[in-house]
Amino acid sequence: MFNWAVTFFIIAIVAGVLGLSGVAGTASNIAWILFVVGIIMAIIFMITGRRPKI
């Protein structure tokens, strides 16, 4: 999840530099959602004691 969040964050930065505000806004929203989902999943896995498959 965090890899995808970083990828969309980089896309948002590049789009912002190029002046594509719509693409930058959408990519930053997607990055934020993926980051929050990743944090929630990490907390759940820490509480339950499970480790994700690599």
Side-chain angles (χ1 to χ4, degrees):
M1 285 288 174
F2 294 118
N3 291 335
W4 283 105
V6 170
T7 301
F8 278 105
F9 181 68
I10 291 171
I11 290 172
I13 290 173
V14 170
V17 168
L18 295 176
L20 303 170
S21 60
V23 175
T26 302
S28 66
N29 286 337
I30 292 171
W32 178 250
I33 291 169
L34 290 175
F35 178 74
V36 170
V37 169
I39 291 291
I40 291 171
M41 288 177 59
I43 291 170
I44 290 172
F45 286 142
M46 283 192 308
I47 290 172
T48 61
R50 295 179 52 191
R51 292 183 179 220
K53 294 181 182 179
I54 297 176

